[in-house]
Amino acid sequence: MLSLLVRIAESACAGGAVDRDRADEWPAEQRRRAEAGRFLVAVPFFVASATA
């Protein structure tokens, strides 16, 4: 899941939502959390269904 977070940070930086320092620091913090056994990620999925 860490690779997903790195891609999210890179996309946010490329889109101008965050600067390079922030885009580098956030994944590094998540890596530190993973190494300490304190990493949690939640990815919500939405599913819709209908009939006509």
Side-chain angles (χ1 to χ4, degrees), residues 12-44:
C13 184
V18 297
D19 62 18
R20 172 53 46 200
D21 290 339
R22 186 76 171 143
D24 290 340
E25 179 54 33
W26 186 68
E29 178 184 347
Q30 302 316 308
R31 280 189 195 94
R32 289 190 296 272
R33 288 175 181 267
E35 290 167 359
R38 300 189 67 231
F39 177 72
L40 173 68
V41 65
V43 181

Side-chain angles (χ1 to χ4, degrees), residues 2-17:
L2 282 171
S3 62
L4 172 66
L5 297 182
V6 170
R7 288 193 307 267
I8 290 170
E10 288 300 320
S11 294
C13 184

